[in-house]
Each structure stands twice: as structure tokens, then as C-alpha cells.
Amino acid sequence: LWKDGYDLRSVLPKATYYRHRLDLLEHGINIDLRKESLDRSNVVPLVRVLEATPVSILDWAFKENLVHSSARI
């Protein structure tokens, strides 16, 4: 629920909330802070688009007899 942005104080009983909060703090997770307030970064991730282009067989491969001559286009 915390990851989805819910306020756990309004969802859980008081004792349960603080018990979970104490256990999660040992792992570096503070449920007192709302999830939206943790993601304040204004950095836009860059995505690089890769395009596959066909490659022809090089002449040296034919000269070394690595490719049969019927493969020549």
C-alpha cells in the first residue's frame, strides 16, 4: 500500500503501524514519508532507439571460401 501512495496511518491500527514502521526502518524504508514525496526527481530518462540494418557478406569471406558462391546476391 505504501508503494502505491496510501497513507498507512489511516489504514492500519496505531500499534500495527508503528510496529511495521520500526521493522521497515531497519531496512532503510521510512513509511512516514509518502511514496510521491520520495520521487521528486525532474530528470527525464533518455532512451536510445536501436535499429537493425541488414549487412551484406563481405568479399573476403568469399575469397577465403567461408561462404558458398551461391550466397552472393
Side-chain angles (χ1 to χ4, degrees):
L1 291 174
W2 174 78
K3 279 181 98 175
D4 291 336
Y6 290 97
D7 182 17
L8 296 181
R9 287 184 195 185
S10 63
V11 177
L12 298 174
K14 186 176 182 179
T16 305
Y17 172 80
Y18 284 105
R19 186 177 68 244
H20 288 316
R21 180 179 178 268
L22 183 63
D23 290 340
L24 290 170
L25 277 175
E26 293 175 2
H27 300 285
I29 300 170
N30 186 0
I31 60 174
D32 272 341
L33 304 175
R34 289 202 176 190
K35 185 67 172 139
E36 304 93 42
S37 66
L38 296 178
D39 297 332
R40 292 186 179 190
S41 174
N42 63 351
V43 176
V44 177
L46 299 176
V47 178
R48 182 175 174 194
V49 178
L50 300 177
E51 293 184 25
T53 56
V55 177
S56 61
I57 301 172
L58 302 175
D59 288 335
W60 64 267
F62 288 106
K63 292 177 185 174
E64 296 291 327
N65 291 326
L66 298 175
V67 180
H68 192 268
S69 62
S70 64
R72 190 178 294 267
I73 297 176

